[in-house]
């Protein structure tokens, strides 16, 4: 990162690792991803906050679930599209392109998932995540039943809700601090 590149609009430090554990985690990111996501650098001013964020993220996005990694990334993008979160649309749009092998799907997901060629399962999942984002008070048993009819278990419904809720929180923090995505995301899987 050059001197002129900023991660957020806040002056919380330069994102340098604060502890040996954080340094090791950042090295693992470099090894596996080829970069340290700026969201992690943004949280690096406080090891406790970074650990809490990464533990929740890793559990929801990489842990055991009836949802595939692509499905979880699709939820992240649909929610982030509603919230107009530049950081998450850029980073997770790239993940959808990579995991699906379909750059067009990644772009459609960012703009409007409803125009993408989705399975009924995926449409039901994203409709639920978007409704939860826009009108959480309007979620009814009929919404959960629509997910069951699309083939989701009750555990899957929990995971859909949890991923959507996590990205609603993350979107709001990223927007509030004007978090900037890594430039590398813009060219990934195109």
């Amino acid at each position: 990162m050059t001197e002129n590149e900023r991660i957020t609009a806040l002056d919380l430090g330069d994102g340098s690792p604060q502890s040996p554990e954080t340094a090791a985690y950042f090295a693992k990111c470099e090894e596996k991803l080829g970069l340290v996501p700026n969201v992690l650098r943004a949280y690096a001013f406080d090891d406790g906050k970074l650990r809490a964020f990464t533990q929740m993220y890793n559990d929801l996005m990489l842990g055991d679930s009836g949802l595939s990694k692509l499905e979880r990334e699709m939820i992240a993008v649909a929610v982030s599209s509603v919230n107009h979160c530049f950081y998450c649309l850029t980073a997770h749009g790239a993940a959808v392109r990579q995991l699906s092998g379909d750059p067009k799907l990644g772009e459609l997901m960012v703009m409007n998932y409803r125009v993408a060629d989705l399975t009924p399962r995926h449409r039901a999942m994203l409709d639920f995540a978007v409704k939860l984002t826009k009108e959480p008070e309007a979620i009814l048993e009929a919404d959960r039943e629509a997910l069951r009819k699309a083939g989701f278990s009750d555990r899957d419904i929990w995971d859909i809700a949890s991923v959507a809720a996590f990205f609603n929180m993350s979107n709001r923090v990223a927007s509030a601090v004007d978090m900037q995505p890594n430039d590398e995301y813009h060219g990934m899987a195109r």
Side-chain angles (χ1 to χ4, degrees), residues 162-188:
S162 295
V163 171
F166 178 83
F167 279 94
N168 274 292
M169 184 274 300
S170 294
N171 292 168
R172 282 157 178 75
V173 172
S175 294
V177 302
D178 192 25
M179 191 178 296
Q180 296 299 301
N182 301 64
D183 287 339
E184 294 90 339
Y185 288 129
H186 296 289
M188 288 181 173

Side-chain angles (χ1 to χ4, degrees), residues 7 9 12 21 25 39 70 72 77 83 125 129 146 152 161 178 182:
I7 296 170
L12 299 173
E21 295 81 14
Y25 189 71
V39 67
L70 175 59
R72 290 178 263 187
V77 173
N83 292 326
M125 173 186 78
F152 292 103
D178 192 25
N182 301 64

